[in-house]
Amino acid sequence: MSEPTDLVIVLGTRPEIIKLAPVIRACERRHIEYTVVHTGQHYSDSLDGVFFDQLELPTPEHNLAVGSDSHARQTAAMMTGIEDILQEEQPETVLVQGDTNSVLAGSIAASKLNVDLGHVEAGLRSFDRSMPEETNRVLTDHVADYLFAPTDQSRQYLLDEGLPDDQIFVTGNTVVDALQQNRELAERKSDVLAKLDLERGEFGLMTAHRAENVDNERRFRDLLEGVGRAAEEYGFDVVYPIHPRAKNNLAEFNIEVPERIRVIDPQDYLDFLTFESSAAVILTDSGGVQEEACILGVPCVTLRENTERPETIDVGANRLVGSEPTAIVDGVRAAYSTTQMWENPFGDGTAADRILTAVSPTMETETEVIQ
Ligand code: UD1
Ligand code: UDP
C-alpha cells in the first residue's frame, strides 16, 4: 500500500476539468498532497486533453478510461475503479464537482468506504428529475460531508432538504476563479476571432449538448430553427462549437443547419472564453456557459425550460426560452434590449481556497489562507 494522501480529486468531463483546475492549482500552491482520478467519461482530446495542456495541469495519476456507455454501466465501471483507488490511496477526503455520472460514482464509492466527501457546487437544483444531472446532484448532496454551495440560494435549497447547516460552506463558484486565472490570457493569446473573420460584438455564440435537447429530434430541429431565425433578424452569424453528442445526432437525424449558424469543433478554453466575452449574445443549454456569460457581462438566452442557476435570471443576465422558435427569437430580442449591467452572483474568485481551508485546516500550509 502506498503512503496515504490527503485528498483525492475525482473528475471526468470538460466542465469538471475547468472548474477543478483552480482547486488543483491551489493544492500545488499550498503543498497539499493530492491525487487526481480521471474517470475517462470524456476522452476525445477536444473535451479532455486540450484542457490539461492549456490549464497546465499535471497528468492524472489514475485514468479509469471508462469511455461512453449507458448510465448504469458507465457509473458502475467508474465506481469499481474509484473504490480500488480509494482503498489504495486511503485519502482523508474525496472531492467531486458538479453533476455528471463521474460525480455520482465518486460520491457513492467514497461514502460506502466512509471517506469524507466534499461536493463542489452543492445545492444546485433544477427541480426536474427527468434530467440525469438532477439525480446526480441530489444523491451526491445527500451523502456529502462538506457541501460547497456557490451562493446563498444554493445553501437555502440544501437547508430546505434538511441538510445540516454546519456542513454547508458558501464559497462562491470555482468558475469565477477559473475565469480570473484565464481571461487575460485569452485576451492576449487567442486569435480565434480573426481566424473566423468575426468582429467583437457582431456575432452570437451558441452551445447545445444536453440530452433533453439534442437527443430529441423535434427539439433539436426547433432549437436550430429558432436560433437561425434570430440570426436572420439581427443579421449576424452564430458560432456553434458542437459537442460530440450533438454532432452525432445532427448526422443521425439528418438535420440541415440554418445558413447563419456556423458549426465548428469544440474549442479550447482560451478560444471559447474569447468567443464568450466578445459575443453580442450567448444561446446555451450549458450550466457553465450560463454562469460564464453572467460573470462576463454578456446577455444569455437559455434554451431550456428550467435552470439550476436561478441567480443568473434574478440579476437580469439570463432568460429561459425553451426550444420553441418564436420564444427563442423573443428571447434574443429581450437579451439585445438589456442595457443595465448586473452584479456577478457567483463570488469573488477565492472559492478554491475556501474549499481547501474547509476540508482540512491541517492542510493549511505556509501560504496565506483567504477567509
Ligand atoms: C456529460 C454530462 C453532462 C455535462 C456534459 C459536459 C452526464 C449524465 N452528463 O454529458 O451533464 O453537461 O458531460 O460536456 O454525466 N463522446 C465523445 N467523446 C467524448 C465523450 C463523449 O465522442 O470524449 C460522445 C459519445 O458518443 C457519447 C456522447 O458523446 O455517447 C455522450 O457522452 P456522455 O459522457 O455520456 O455525456 P455528455 O453528453 O458528454
Ligand atoms: N467550453 C469550452 N469549449 C467549448 C464549449 C465549452 O471550453 O467549445 C467550456 C465552457 O467555457 C465552460 C464549460 O466548457 O467552462 C462548460 O461545459 P459544458 O457546456 O460541456 O458542460 P455543463 O456546464 O453544461 O455541464
Side-chain angles (χ1 to χ4, degrees), residues 1 14 18 34 45 54 64 78 98 112 115 122 142 148 195 199 203 212 221 241 309 326 330 366:
M1 195 178 286
R14 169 169 70 188
I18 292 170
Y34 73 98
D45 189 56
Q54 199 166 55
L64 301 174
M78 293 176 192
K112 293 290 181 78
V115 178
H142 282 258
F148 297 115
K195 269 197 202 149
E199 294 289 336
F203 67 95
E212 69 268 21
R221 283 187 186 278
R309 274 88 175 170
T326 314
D330 290 346
E366 63 270 24

Side-chain angles (χ1 to χ4, degrees), residues 13-15 18-19 42 46-47 51 99-100 133 175 207 209-210 241-243 265-270 272-273 276 284-289 291-292 309:
T13 67
R14 169 169 70 188
I18 292 170
K19 287 177 168 178
H42 283 178
S46 62
L47 298 185
F51 297 100
D99 54 19
T100 65
E133 292 85 0
V175 76
T207 77
H209 72 283
R210 290 300 178 103
I242 196 163
H243 183 289
D265 287 335
Q267 299 292 294
D268 66 36
Y269 193 44
L270 297 188
F272 192 75
L273 282 185
E276 281 185 312
T284 194
D285 62 8
S286 157
V289 175
E291 291 159 354
E292 288 169 348
R309 274 88 175 170

Side-chain angles (χ1 to χ4, degrees), residues 19 97 121 124 150 173-176 179 276 284 286-297 300 308-309 311-312 318 342 344-346:
K19 287 177 168 178
Q97 190 284 332
E121 216 175 68
L124 273 65
N173 195 307
T174 57
V175 76
V176 181
L179 276 179
E276 281 185 312
T284 194
S286 157
V289 175
Q290 288 175 65
E291 291 159 354
E292 288 169 348
C294 178
I295 298 159
L296 292 167
C300 186
E308 57 292 313
R309 274 88 175 170
E311 301 85 352
T312 60
N318 191 12
W342 51 82
N344 157 30
F346 294 113

Side-chain angles (χ1 to χ4, degrees), residues 23 236 241 335 365:
V23 177
F236 61 44
T365 53

